[in-house]
Each structure stands twice: as structure tokens, then as C-alpha cells.
Amino acid sequence: MAEFGAHLTTRNNLKFSKPSIFESLAEDNLCTGLKSAFHYLSKIAAQSNPGKYSLIYEHFDEFYLLFDTLVQFTHLYVYKASFAEKVYGLRRIDKSGDLTLKNTVKSLFWLVSFPYLRSKLNTFYEKLSRDEFNGKLRRDRNKNAYLFIKVFPLLNSLWELTLLIHQITYAVQQGKNHSPLLTLSGVELVVFSQEAHESLKELNIVSRIGDLSIRFAKWIAKCFGYGLSFGAFFLQFLDYWYTRESLSPIFMSLPIPPPPKKFLSDVSCTQCPLCLGKRNQDTVLRTSGFVFCYDCIFRYVNENGKCPVSGFYSNINHLLKLFPPEK
């Protein structure tokens, strides 16, 4: 549908057509889908081997930020487009008709920093909301937290409204971009045809001869492209594989974790390692195999997300109540 878009003429007399709103939204959804897929993969890895992969799952946003920065910088440097834009045959241009170094840096900043900051703020808001619901926040002592809980939904709604306005104006050909982030980067999205690619190649052939960094960056970008394409298919297969059965067979097939480094040797077999009292409503934590009081372990895992003895990543879904046989 890109042939119906408006045409732009750059200073090099190259004509580009604007992508349709559907192509633009599909490109945005690809970025969101890839991050969700990698997050799901890290969750599965942490469940299968908490000792090795729990750190990646707990700090997924930071690991993905580094990975995304490398991928987006490589594609912006070589193709003048992000990874998702390259997949859909799109390209970024500024007022000069190309993508200058200044706008490349701005594009990289908004591509990787805004999703990261928004994800961290959403996580922080959900944590504070849970604490408020459980009565852990006091209005007289946590004024800033209460202010954030009230203000953040308004800011989030304002962002969604701004994004919707950009998309509507772009769909009716009254706006330059479908996203405010493109406007902040000082660029526009265009359909990068093969003819335009050959024309730019002829214009810049003198400056690119012998430039080994460009060739090396292209090789890296292709590797990333093929790797992420295969990875997306592989993650969809993993999603099918792990959802076709219930979770119980998966946990039954988990390997027995190694003994913890720290263990209270003076705790008897009838005591809870947390409260050190006689266990009430025996509950086993399946990631480590230790038995606690139900109230003790539920509260600890819900707040800390790990086993109190072994330190393995855990959540409340890993709790299993034990019912001893009647005497």
C-alpha cells in the first residue's frame, strides 16, 4: 500500500514514497513482539535452571538494553534504519535527504532509551500499587510514592493520546510521522526501494571504496538480521512447545538442584527455616525442595522472588502444599 503514500524529493533528486500506516504499525509491533519473545525465553531458562539464568531474568531489561543498542546502532550505521524498519524495507531520512550523524545518535537514543525507561517505570508503578494494596505504604511517610501512583497513569494516558493523534494525522496524510519518537529524532520514514538503493550507492561510491568499517558493519548487520529472524521462529516454537502441556510435567522434569551453599544445620526436620518454629501448613518450594510454613514462604517469595535458603529464583507458582497422611 506504500504506492499510495505521498512522494518526497531529496536534494539528490531521489524520490521516496511514504509508508502506509499499516506498514508503520507492523514495524512497531515487530519491535514489541521481539522483546516479549526474548523475555519469555529468559523466563523459561530461569525456570529450567535457576542457578544459571535467574540473573538474566531478574535483570532482563538491562541485558536487553545492551543487546538492543548494539543491534540498532549497527542497522542505523549501515542501513539508516532500525532492525524492524529494515525488515519492512523502510529507511530514515532527515531534512538533508540522508541521515546525518547527529540524527543517527538521536534516533539511537530514542529507539533504545524510551522503551527501557517506560518498562522500568511500569514495573516500579506495579510494585508500588501492590504495596499500597497490601497496606505497606503509609501516606504520611511515603508521600513521593503516593504522588507517583497518582501521576504516572495520567502521564501514561497522555503519551497514549499523543501517539494516537500522531497515528490519526499520519493516516489522513496530515502528519509527517506516525510516532512522536520519530519527530523527536528529527527524521521521517520512507520506503527504500531498490532503485533508490542503487542511486545512493552510485552517489557515494567514491567515499565508500576501501571503507572496511562499512563492510564489517554490513556483515554484522546481516548476521543480526538472519539470527533474529531465526530466533523469532525458534521462540514461537518454544511458545508452542511449553504451552501444549500443563506446567506440572515441566516441573517434574526439572533436574534436582545442587545443595545450597548456606544451610542452617541446627534447624530440625520439623522446623520452618524462616520463623524457626514448628511448621504450620507444610509447603515445599519446588525450585529448592525446602519445606516451610505456608504463610512464611508465601510472604517471602512474593516480596523477594527467590528461595530464602538457596537463593534460587522462585515465585508463588512454585509453592506446593503438603498433606501428610492421616494417622
Side-chain angles (χ1 to χ4, degrees), residues 35 58-62 114-126 148 152:
K35 184 176 182 180
E58 293 173 358
H59 301 280
F60 171 78
D61 289 331
E62 286 71 24
F114 183 80
Y116 171 77
L117 292 176
R118 192 180 183 194
S119 176
K120 300 301 288 186
L121 289 175
N122 281 326
T123 303
F124 186 59
Y125 172 76
E126 291 174 359
F148 179 81
F152 180 74

Side-chain angles (χ1 to χ4, degrees), residues 3 5 14 214 238 282:
E3 61 271 19
L14 296 176
I214 291 292
L238 282 181
D282 294 2

Side-chain angles (χ1 to χ4, degrees), residues 41-59 313:
L41 180 61
S42 67
K43 179 181 179 181
I44 296 299
Q47 290 177 345
S48 62
N49 196 329
K52 290 184 178 180
Y53 304 113
S54 59
L55 179 66
I56 298 178
Y57 180 69
E58 293 173 358
H59 301 280
Y313 162 77

Side-chain angles (χ1 to χ4, degrees), residues 98 114 129 150 217 231 234 261 282 286 299 309:
D98 202 353
F114 183 80
S129 299
K150 300 299 181 183
F234 181 69
K261 297 180 180 179
D282 294 2
R286 290 184 289 187
R299 189 183 309 110
V309 180

